[in-house]
Amino acid sequence: MSFDKAVAATTKRETSIDLNWVSAGVGWDVTKSYTVKNETRYEVPAGKFGVIQAYPFYRMQVGDVWQGFSGGSGRPTGYQAYAYKPVGVCFNQYLQ
């Protein structure tokens, strides 16, 4: 079985922050979709029914939200932003 699909990145924010700032903080665009692909082979014994489930695997990044000031200084706000980037494919395989 082959799995090749564009999957959207997702974010969770504890405060209202522009997603461009989150993207800058994690180093990749959190508003894009990313293509993940993988393949697997599953030998099913005669007389059995095999099931393969495919789903995206995400890498999570957590970052502190900073409030910026002029001159490049800033201070932490105490809030965090979470970004989830699709980076691969996981498979479940089982017999019924």
Side-chain angles (χ1 to χ4, degrees):
M1 173 184 180
S2 293
F3 183 87
D4 185 351
K5 185 176 181 181
V7 180
T10 60
T11 59
K12 176 185 170 196
R13 300 166 286 171
E14 295 179 342
T15 184
S16 177
I17 181 174
D18 188 308
L19 290 179
N20 289 326
W21 287 103
V22 176
S23 295
V26 297
W28 49 273
D29 190 345
V30 300
T31 64
K32 277 184 54 179
S33 290
Y34 295 88
T35 299
V36 292
K37 57 168 61 174
N38 200 353
E39 59 184 54
T40 189
R41 181 180 169 95
Y42 187 39
E43 296 285 337
V44 178
K48 297 285 186 176
F49 181 75
V51 176
I52 299 175
Q53 297 172 323
Y55 56 94
F57 180 73
Y58 294 88
R59 182 181 77 222
M60 180 182 81
Q61 288 183 263
V62 181
D64 293 324
V65 177
W66 285 64
Q67 182 178 18
F69 298 102
S70 60
S73 64
R75 66 180 171 94
T77 63
Y79 294 106
Q80 290 187 317
Y82 302 82
Y84 303 87
K85 182 179 184 181
V87 294
V89 180
C90 293
F91 293 102
N92 283 336
Q93 302 172 343
Y94 58 92
L95 294 175
Q96 284 188 333

